[in-house]
Amino acid sequence: MTIVASNELSVSAERAPRLSWQESMRLAIRDAGVLCRRLNLADDIRQQAVAASKAFSVFAPLEYVGRMRSGDPNDPLLRQVLPCAEELSEPAGFTQDPLRESTVVASPGMLHKYEGRVLLVATGACAVHCRYCFRRHYPYRDSPSSMEQWQAALLRIEGDASIDEVLLSGGDPLTLTDPKLRELVGALSQIRHLRRLRIHTRLPIVIPRRVTEGLVRILRETRLSCLVVVHANHPREIGDDAADPVCQSLAKLIDHGIPVLNQAVLLRGVNDHVDVQEELNRRLVNQRVMPYYLHQLDRVAGASHFETPVSVGARMIDQLRERLPGYAVPRYVQELPGAASKTPLF
Ligand SMILES: *Cc1c(COP(=O)(O)O)cnc(C)c1O
Ligand code: SF4
């Protein structure tokens, strides 16, 4: 099956009504040159992108690319996935493991940093490669990839009754197939003191069809209370009407009683303007998604050009409080290595 180049998501969706999310993964753009040509970008931008993509490859699903404006190198969605020359500069303070996560590995693939909750790096695969990702240098190959390899982590959780919540992260845990996910959720639900399962994912945003009936069933049928934390940074990533495929994927979860929260990262040139933040958070609550965190950028090597001063973030939060209901204003936080929780900035 082929998808015809199109800037209108609805057109490609109509042309390929039965395209599965796995096919979308397979058809995603993985080549910087192809992405630039698809969006009619200038040659110099394409050459930069191709060079910078060698350090961290491109991955952009067609659904997500379909939301970008053709011919605009500053498109806020494009900027999140397009490699650029600035990635190759190495400013002081930007490192491979800015959160020093290697110091909180309790078992292969399991990070235990905060009281009561552990994070499982469920897979190294993502449905989009975000240029600012703080795990872009994470040693994913050390993480378990089979139930057998998860046994050590499961035993650690079982032996610590203070843990009542497991976060599935990655990578993106929803790149796992439903049977794999069902197996992992099933094993976790056997641990009596666990009460909640939280899934951190960008898939409902970038490949909305990932929210299948089967997935919803897994999350509904487990004894654990499930929450989903999605990750959208810009209003154009979610749309604002019931016919939008992303809104539909979010509604599918929420209609089935699964709370959905959003976290965003403050990114220069993407969402560092209060009007953009206002529209993003307004759209989220219109869709019943609760804004959770706005993260100050983690200082990962290759992402320095996205950094926004904390003073800018703080002023925006102040303005958002005037413009939006209290529940629509995210918590502006930073992750500091060694801290007992994410640190509120404002
Ligand atoms: C962010 C994070 C959590 C979750 O923190 P909350 O404040 O509960 O959202 C848990 N473990 C790790 C390693 C984290 O980075
Ligand atoms: S989806 Fe998440 S883990 Fe994957 S590249 Fe983007 S920010 Fe990083």
Side-chain angles (χ1 to χ4, degrees):
M1 199 175 310
T2 52
I3 292 191
V4 175
S6 165
N7 290 322
E8 285 301 320
L9 183 66
S10 52
V11 174
S12 54
E14 256 169 47
R15 273 173 196 279
R18 280 187 294 277
L19 199 68
S20 72
W21 68 269
Q22 283 107 328
E23 284 169 311
S24 292
M25 288 288 288
R26 205 162 41 71
L27 292 170
I29 296 179
R30 295 154 192 261
D31 181 286
V34 171
L35 179 62
C36 291
R37 272 192 289 269
R38 169 72 58 109
L39 291 165
N40 297 311
L41 299 177
D43 285 350
D44 60 322
I45 290 173
R46 189 176 75 231
Q47 280 150 15
Q48 277 185 30
V50 169
S53 69
K54 296 200 165 75
F56 179 40
S57 65
V58 163
F59 194 104
L62 295 174
E63 291 88 334
Y64 192 64
V65 175
R67 292 176 168 266
M68 297 172 187
R69 285 187 297 249
S70 183
D72 179 3
N74 295 317
D75 180 274
L77 276 56
L78 176 68
R79 277 186 58 96
Q80 295 179 52
V81 300
L82 183 71
C84 66
E86 288 127 303
E87 290 182 27
L88 305 172
S89 69
E90 291 182 345
F94 286 78
T95 61
Q96 303 266 317
D97 181 13
L99 305 180
R100 283 191 255 127
E101 287 196 320
S102 55
T103 63
V104 294
V105 177
S107 172
M110 175 171 135
L111 308 181
H112 194 178
K113 191 165 173 181
Y114 303 140
E115 212 171 303
R117 53 226 197 265
V118 295
L119 182 154
L120 300 185
V121 177
T123 167
C126 289
V128 58
H129 285 181
C130 313
R131 306 315 296 178
Y132 53 84
C133 179
F134 70 94
R135 290 209 185 105
R136 58 186 274 171
H137 309 286
Y138 188 90
Y140 285 115
R141 79 193 86 77
D142 302 345
S143 272
S145 56
S146 68
M147 283 316 291
E148 208 171 32
Q149 291 169 6
W150 277 117
Q151 287 313 311
L154 293 169
L155 281 172
R156 285 294 289 257
I157 299 170
E158 206 166 333
D160 184 347
S162 74
I163 299 168
D164 66 353
E165 175 166 351
V166 167
L167 283 73
L168 299 185
S169 182
D172 196 314
L174 293 191
T175 58
L176 296 175
T177 60
D178 286 350
K180 282 223 152 155
L181 211 55
R182 186 178 296 108
E183 225 181 355
L184 185 55
V185 173
L188 290 167
S189 71
Q190 302 287 308
I191 301 174
R192 298 315 310 174
H193 53 262
L194 281 186
R195 300 296 305 274
R196 299 180 309 282
L197 178 72
R198 197 197 310 178
I199 296 183
H200 280 250
T201 177
R202 204 148 153 61
L203 259 149
I205 308 296
V206 297
I207 303 181
R209 256 168 303 106
R210 174 62 186 98
V211 183
T212 56
E213 294 302 326
L215 173 65
V216 170
R217 210 171 310 122
I218 294 169
L219 303 183
R220 273 177 62 82
E221 287 176 359
T222 173
R223 148 190 98 69
L224 301 167
S225 298
C226 292
L227 294 90
V228 170
V229 181
V230 296
H231 174 178
N233 297 311
H234 191 277
R236 246 198 295 125
E237 288 174 60
I238 52 173
D240 198 21
D241 66 274
D244 184 276
V246 172
C247 294
Q248 286 177 350
S249 80
L250 298 168
K252 211 183 274 179
L253 292 165
I254 299 163
D255 288 347
H256 284 93
I258 299 159
V260 179
L261 313 175
N262 183 66
Q263 57 176 349
V265 180
L266 180 53
L267 300 167
R268 189 150 69 88
V270 173
N271 60 11
D272 59 340
H273 193 287
V274 66
D275 294 343
V276 175
Q277 288 289 340
E278 179 187 352
E279 186 61 16
L280 170 64
N281 290 295
R282 191 183 298 283
R283 285 186 180 192
L284 287 166
V285 295
N286 286 348
Q287 302 306 323
R288 298 170 288 161
V289 175
M290 301 318 260
Y292 183 34
Y293 283 141
L294 174 64
H295 288 272
Q296 178 66 11
L297 182 82
D298 298 312
R299 306 190 90 193
V300 66
S304 61
H305 56 291
F306 285 117
E307 191 167 51
T308 311
V310 171
S311 57
V312 170
R315 210 183 54 235
M316 284 198 314
I317 295 291
D318 219 10
Q319 291 170 303
L320 289 181
R321 286 202 185 114
E322 291 172 9
R323 297 187 189 186
L324 292 169
Y327 60 81
V329 181
R331 282 154 254 195
Y332 181 33
V333 295
Q334 181 165 28
E335 226 170 309
L336 299 175
S341 71
K342 316 245 187 250
T343 305
L345 287 174
F346 191 65

